[in-house]
Amino acid sequence: MAIAVIRFPGTNNEKDVMRVLASIPGGDPYLVPNYDGPGPLARADGVFIPGGFSYGDYLRAGAVASVEAIIDGVVEIAKAGKPVIGICNGFQILAEAGLLPGVLLPNKSARFVCKWINLRTCETKSIYTEGLDSAILRIPIAHAEGNYYCSEEDLHMLKGEGRVSFRYCNSEGEPTQEVNPNGSLDNIAGIVNERGNVLGMMPHPERASRAILGSTDGLAILENFVRATKAP
Amino acid sequence: MSVIREGKVKRVLEDPESSQHVIIEFTNFVTAGDGAKKEELEGKGRLACDITEFLLQYLSDKGIETHYVETLEGPKIRCFRAAILPVEVVCRNVAAGSFCRRYGIDRGIELSEPLVEFFLKDDKLGDPLITEEAVMRLQLVNRSDIGFMKSIALSVNHYLSELFAQQNLRLVDFKLEFGRTADGRLVVADEISGDTMRIWNKEGESLDKDLFREDSGDLLSAYVGLLDILRKTDPKIIPIRSEEVHVMVMPKEGIKNPPGEVTRKGLIRLGFQDVKEVRVGKEFKIVLTRPLTSSLLKGLELMNIKLLTNPIAETHEVRLS
């Protein structure tokens, strides 16, 4: 199905993402530069916001992109219940746009962190984690602002509603502070919106989608996303 | 028309046509030393009214919000009804009057930059000077309104100075009053005339109320001259200047600030052992196309909510001066 992959100035993961999506049966990605505005999103069955450094991460990561006209189109897609996924900078943009609660703050270490981590699929029952019950996935992260933060009420809501999709964990699947790579609240690595159709996550599933890359653990998430674009 | 307030030289009247407006009537009285010296000069009210009309209209054309609506027969002007703030604002370019007495300096000394001062409006106390801190601590006016008044006073100073400069006159100092309208706008109120400012010619001679205060000349003919001079100016060629405001954004208390923590480590390494905490925020310098208004101020708040600040993790403060 038609998947709009949005590129802002500074986005740099769009080619990896397009390649993986095209390799998944039913995935028909097309690139939409931000300056084309929301128009080209009208025919999309789903939206993918890849990672990168939109607008140089100036102001706050994702902040400038989040107020672009094209985001109005993303909001419409989300409202229509179609799947929207934001990876890394895409997650930061979705949070800044208010499509997901909370904010991604600078890493606790104040450094850019680029490494493989273990990810535990959590209590969530969203389309993105189907077939991944309590799985431990090996997927890389690469970010300077991945420290998820939200109010206590929001955290309570996210946990209560089963909206935490992924947590950073150790090899046994335990979300310990030792393996928290960025200081995220409650080891949160990915969350969904109330309706479950919008996912934001800091780790890069597209970088763990082929054996030659070192892991194929991310592929299932992307396959779930493509499948969801086909749902009536 | 019923009288709302009887001032020393003006009367504020109810506007029979609108509760949003009031009518200010200029009398022929002129006073000095808080009314200790008082005289009636035929035609003075008309002149003060015409000068005020000219200057408020001019300031309004440059984007400064004032209470002025229109001039009526009278001499009267229709104005927006506004609750007058309890402090008045004085802006000085050159030392004169009470400033010289206060600091024991000669009349005519140029200040390095325009100076804005606040005075408590209290006749019994003789309208004493009041510091900004005291204004805030006594909760007479809040920090934002103080900043707003200072910014407007400096804008008014710029535009009036440029106007008088066209006729080789020097704006020495002036007084402004501010009022809040029913719809919440903070506007320049009261009159702006020879009664509320000092204007000197090249020789340092006054064209203002100092002639009366000091018995040094004919006030009425000076005011006739002043109005004449104003009518010779060309306000249109004076461009609207940009104004600068600053927005400070800080990480909320209780939220870890890694950039601040590593900066602190660096400072400790350099031997600054007394640095307990460092928090890194941001400062935005925002240059506006025109003078501040209450709606621009609201716009600055919106800018913060919509983009400059992430309210989940940050606080902001708009600094107007």
Side-chain angles (χ1 to χ4, degrees):
Chain A
M1 303 295 278
I3 298 165
V5 177
I6 300 180
R7 186 190 67 203
F8 293 95
T11 298
N12 60 12
N13 290 178
E14 74 277 14
K15 283 188 181 160
D16 312 35
V17 163
M18 299 270 291
R19 178 175 178 158
V20 184
L21 292 177
S23 75
I24 298 170
D28 178 20
Y30 64 102
L31 192 69
V32 183
N34 69 305
Y35 47 76
D36 282 354
L41 301 189
R43 70 180 182 92
D45 300 303
V47 167
F48 201 116
I49 309 181
F53 304 87
S54 59
Y55 293 95
D57 276 353
Y58 293 141
L59 188 59
R60 293 178 307 278
V64 180
S66 79
V67 296
E68 289 248 327
I70 197 167
I71 294 296
D72 297 342
V74 178
V75 170
E76 287 307 311
I77 296 274
K79 268 192 199 160
K82 295 176 187 173
V84 174
I85 186 168
I87 303 296
C88 196
N89 191 224
F91 184 14
Q92 293 161 341
I93 292 168
L94 291 175
E96 282 287 346
L99 282 166
L100 291 171
V103 57
L104 284 311
L105 297 177
N107 294 344
K108 196 176 161 190
S109 62
R111 292 168 63 176
F112 189 90
V113 178
C114 180
K115 65 177 182 184
W116 288 86
I117 50 93
N118 290 310
L119 208 57
R120 170 93 186 220
T121 315
C122 304
E123 58 266 33
T124 177
K125 293 276 178 277
S126 86
I127 48 174
Y128 298 100
T129 45
E130 268 177 31
L132 291 172
D133 287 348
S134 301
I136 300 171
L137 311 172
R138 204 166 152 269
I139 296 180
I141 55 167
H143 58 246
E145 290 96 2
N147 177 359
Y148 182 79
Y149 175 82
C150 65
S151 66
E152 262 183 55
E153 302 83 73
D154 279 352
L155 181 63
H156 188 74
M157 174 188 74
L158 287 172
K159 288 160 81 169
E161 296 176 1
R163 287 166 54 186
V164 178
S165 302
F166 304 105
R167 283 197 175 87
Y168 303 107
C169 68
N170 62 19
S171 53
E172 271 74 56
E174 295 154 341
T176 61
Q177 277 315 298
E178 292 73 55
V179 294
N180 186 337
N182 49 29
S184 273
L185 207 60
D186 214 30
N187 281 40
I188 288 174
I191 55 168
V192 290
N193 67 343
E194 200 176 357
R195 197 165 169 178
N197 64 319
V198 178
L199 169 74
M201 62 188 293
M202 290 311 296
H204 286 270
E206 78 281 6
R207 294 185 195 173
S209 58
R210 287 196 294 160
I212 197 172
L213 297 175
S215 168
T216 54
D217 289 357
L219 198 55
I221 300 168
L222 302 175
E223 284 170 347
N224 280 343
F225 168 71
V226 171
R227 191 163 54 250
T229 62
K230 291 188 245 177
Chain B
M1 278 184 259
S2 59
V3 177
I4 300 171
R5 196 168 53 249
E6 184 83 48
K8 288 191 279 277
V9 299
K10 290 186 297 287
R11 239 176 248 130
V12 184
L13 311 165
E14 291 284 356
D15 183 346
E17 289 171 31
S18 152
S19 63
Q20 267 188 54
H21 298 132
V22 293
I23 289 166
I24 295 178
E25 181 179 17
F26 292 77
T27 70
N28 283 332
F29 286 109
V30 53
T31 68
D34 267 326
K37 187 172 174 191
K38 186 168 184 173
E39 231 176 273
E40 193 167 4
L41 300 171
E42 186 60 35
K44 186 257 171 184
R46 178 81 263 162
L47 286 162
C49 181
D50 289 350
I51 292 168
T52 295
E53 176 200 1
F54 186 98
L55 293 177
L56 289 181
Q57 189 60 61
Y58 163 64
L59 293 175
S60 164
D61 288 345
K62 299 303 175 197
I64 294 166
E65 285 197 301
T66 79
H67 69 155
Y68 176 80
V69 179
E70 60 182 336
T71 302
L72 307 169
E73 291 292 307
K76 296 190 187 91
I77 56 173
R78 174 171 283 135
C79 302
F80 285 106
R81 187 187 287 269
I84 302 296
L85 265 47
V87 292
E88 54 189 40
V89 184
V90 168
C91 183
R92 303 178 186 274
N93 297 303
V94 179
S98 67
F99 189 80
C100 294
R101 290 194 294 279
R102 197 191 314 149
Y103 299 121
I105 50 170
D106 290 338
R107 176 187 189 268
I109 289 176
E110 290 268 344
L111 303 183
S112 62
E113 272 181 68
L115 170 71
V116 177
E117 295 181 327
F118 293 92
F119 290 83
L120 181 66
K121 281 170 63 72
D122 187 323
D123 283 345
K124 273 186 229 144
L125 299 175
D127 294 349
L129 180 75
I130 185 165
T131 62
E132 278 178 48
E133 290 286 303
V135 172
M136 280 188 279
R137 300 296 173 263
L138 293 170
Q139 297 179 312
L140 300 171
V141 178
N142 66 31
R143 187 188 294 270
S144 168
D145 287 345
I146 289 175
F148 186 89
M149 290 195 289
K150 272 177 97 168
S151 174
I152 294 297
L154 291 170
S155 299
V156 167
N157 184 50
H158 167 77
Y159 291 112
L160 293 183
S161 294
E162 289 289 305
L163 191 71
F164 288 121
Q166 284 186 359
Q167 296 293 317
N168 288 318
L169 295 177
R170 183 71 210 261
L171 178 64
V172 173
D173 54 36
F174 63 93
K175 178 203 87 168
L176 290 182
E177 301 220 7
F178 286 83
R180 179 146 353 248
T181 60
D183 58 1
R185 291 176 301 130
L186 195 54
V187 299
V188 172
D190 200 37
E191 65 176 298
I192 300 188
S193 72
D195 276 18
T196 64
M197 58 172 86
R198 287 191 177 88
I199 304 150
W200 295 349
N201 64 15
K202 280 272 181 259
E203 287 69 44
E205 295 162 349
S206 298
L207 280 82
D208 53 65
K209 202 169 80 172
D210 273 353
L211 295 169
F212 173 77
R213 280 193 197 97
E214 297 159 2
D215 280 322
S216 51
D218 179 8
L219 187 69
L220 218 48
S221 60
Y223 281 10
V224 170
L226 186 58
L227 185 59
D228 218 35
I229 282 164
L230 284 175
R231 286 179 174 152
K232 279 185 205 148
T233 60
D234 187 358
K236 286 203 175 56
I237 62 164
I238 296 168
I240 292 178
R241 74 166 185 182
S242 52
E243 305 287 344
E244 191 176 307
V245 300
H246 292 250
V247 175
M248 312 294 296
V249 174
M250 285 301 291
K252 273 187 186 166
E253 287 303 319
I255 288 187
K256 273 192 174 293
N257 183 235
E261 284 169 24
V262 294
T263 305
R264 177 180 167 273
K265 277 184 196 159
L267 291 171
I268 299 286
R269 264 199 303 278
L270 288 170
F272 301 102
Q273 301 301 330
D274 291 320
V275 179
K276 188 177 169 193
E277 189 185 14
V278 177
R279 293 179 76 76
V280 178
K282 301 185 194 100
E283 176 172 355
F284 299 87
K285 173 181 135 182
I286 296 178
V287 180
L288 300 167
T289 55
R290 58 187 171 95
L292 271 180
T293 63
S294 293
S295 72
L296 273 174
L297 208 55
K298 275 188 199 154
L300 281 163
E301 285 299 322
L302 274 180
M303 283 180 215
N304 275 293
I305 293 164
K306 287 182 180 241
L307 184 62
L308 301 184
T309 312
N310 187 322
I312 299 169
E314 295 168 322
T315 59
H316 70 270
E317 185 192 335
V318 177
R319 291 196 185 159
L320 302 179
S321 60

